[in-house]
Amino acid sequence: MNKRYFIRLSYKGTNYHGWQIQPNAISVQEVLNKALSTILNCEINVVGCGRTDTGVHASDFYAHFDVVQDKQIDCEKLSFRLNRFLPHDIAIKETFQVKEEAHTRFDPISRTYHYLITKEKNPFRKESHWKIPYELDVDKMNEAAKVLFEFEDFTSFSKLHTDVKTNNCKIYQAIWKDKGDELVFVVKADRFLRNMVRAIVGTLVEVGRGKMDLDGFRMVIESKNRSNAGSSVPGYALFLAEIEYPKGLKKDDAS
C-alpha cells in the first residue's frame, strides 16, 4: 500500500492552458509533476481536485500524489522546496499525509467559485476581472440567481459532449456582491459541470442588461438546451476560491 499526500496550492492561470495536462500546451499539472518528480527523485503524477480551463485561476486548489511506503517525506520541507522550485504563479500552501483512500477529486463536500467584474478601467485588473461597458441591474441579477436553487439539472449551462454521467448539481449559494468598483459573483455547489459558472454568469448578465427577465431565465434552465443560455464569459475573471473536504482525511501519524 502506498502513502498518499495532499498538496494545497494556488495558481494564477494566465500562462497556463488550464490545470490538466495537454499534448501541446503548458498546464499547471505538468509543471507540478515535473517539480515533484525532480525533488523526490521518482516519477510523480498528481491528481487534481478538478480541472480549470485556460486562463482560469485558483486561490484554493488541492492535488494528491502517492509514494511507496518506505519513502520518507518531510511535508514542511517539501512545501518549502516546491515553492523555491516552482514559478512565481504557482504557490504551495501546505503538504500533508492523508489516509490511503482519500481523494482530492471525489471527496470534496463543496466547491466555491468567484467571478469578478470591474466597473471601471483598471490596468491592475486586466488579467483578473472582466470589464464590461454597460450598466447592470444587480438587484435583478440576484433575483435571477435565487432561481438556481429551484433546480438540480443544469444541462443548459454545461459544455456539450462531456463525459459526465449526470448534469445534476446542488447549489448552496449564488449571490452577486456589489463592492463599489467591482462585482463579485459567489457560487457554491456540491459539484460543477464544464463551463457551468461562466455560462451562468453570461446568462445573469443578460438579465442585468434587461435582455432577459426572471421567467426567461427560468425557461433557459428548464429547456436543458445550452443554446438558449447566454454566452460564456471570459475565463480570466474566474477563480476557484474554496474546496471543502470532510473531516478526518488527514493521517494521524503523518511523516
Side-chain angles (χ1 to χ4, degrees):
M1 183 73 73
N2 291 334
K3 293 191 292 187
R4 177 161 292 181
Y5 292 85
F6 271 29
I7 298 177
R8 186 179 178 212
L9 65 147
S10 61
Y11 57 83
K12 182 180 179 183
T14 305
N15 295 325
Y16 301 97
H17 288 256
W19 159 261
Q20 190 165 321
I21 288 178
Q22 305 292 326
N24 298 304
I26 191 69
S27 69
V28 180
Q29 184 182 27
E30 177 187 349
V31 173
L32 188 56
N33 279 346
K34 289 181 178 179
L36 281 166
S37 298
T38 300
I39 292 172
L40 297 178
N41 197 30
C42 61
E43 184 176 353
I44 299 293
N45 293 294
V46 297
V47 176
C49 60
R51 45 189 298 182
T52 55
D53 292 333
T54 299
V56 175
H57 317 289
S59 49
D60 194 34
F61 195 94
Y62 288 82
H64 74 250
F65 67 94
D66 296 334
V67 295
V68 295
Q69 279 288 348
D70 59 356
K71 191 171 187 65
Q72 298 301 312
I73 292 179
D74 182 322
C75 291
E76 187 173 346
K77 185 176 181 180
L78 177 59
S79 295
F80 176 81
R81 294 187 67 188
L82 280 170
N83 277 323
R84 292 286 299 271
F85 193 94
L86 290 166
H88 70 280
D89 48 13
I90 302 176
I92 305 300
K93 297 179 179 179
E94 61 176 327
T95 304
F96 52 93
Q97 189 177 354
V98 294
K99 297 175 181 177
E100 288 78 8
E101 68 274 13
H103 202 287
T104 51
R105 180 182 175 188
F106 299 134
D107 288 347
I109 298 171
S110 68
R111 295 168 167 86
T112 303
Y113 279 90
H114 291 175
Y115 195 87
L116 311 184
I117 293 178
T118 182
K119 297 181 181 180
E120 57 187 33
K121 185 177 181 180
N122 186 327
F124 300 106
R125 292 177 172 173
K126 182 181 178 182
E127 296 174 338
S128 62
H129 290 63
W130 182 34
K131 171 68 173 69
I132 52 178
Y134 30 74
E135 293 293 325
L136 297 173
D137 188 327
V138 181
D139 289 337
K140 285 187 177 179
M141 291 163 68
N142 270 325
E143 286 182 44
K146 292 177 182 177
V147 174
L148 295 168
F149 299 115
E150 302 174 14
F151 298 89
E152 290 188 349
D153 189 329
F154 293 102
T155 301
S156 295
F157 299 129
S158 173
K159 190 171 183 177
L160 299 176
H161 310 302
T162 61
D163 56 359
V164 297
K165 295 180 180 179
T166 175
N167 287 335
N168 285 6
C169 307
K170 179 65 175 177
I171 293 184
Y172 304 124
Q173 182 182 20
I175 187 171
W176 286 94
K177 297 183 178 181
D178 192 339
K179 298 188 176 183
D181 62 342
E182 69 173 347
L183 294 175
V184 180
F185 181 57
V186 180
V187 59
K188 178 180 180 179
D190 61 344
R191 62 189 291 265
F192 288 92
L193 308 173
R194 290 287 307 278
N195 206 53
M196 179 174 167
V197 179
R198 292 163 63 190
I200 288 176
V201 171
T203 312
L204 289 173
V205 166
E206 293 292 285
V207 174
R209 296 180 65 187
K211 293 182 173 292
M212 183 184 296
D213 58 17
L214 291 183
D215 288 337
F217 185 76
R218 185 175 284 105
M219 288 176 61
V220 165
I221 304 175
E222 291 174 342
S223 73
K224 300 179 184 179
N225 188 332
R226 177 65 184 91
S227 63
N228 291 331
S231 59
S232 180
V233 293
Y236 60 78
L238 180 62
F239 288 75
L240 177 54
E242 184 180 3
I243 306 289
E244 183 182 4
Y245 287 94
K247 295 180 180 179
L249 291 183
K250 289 187 177 182
K251 197 172 184 68
D252 293 335
D253 59 348
S255 59

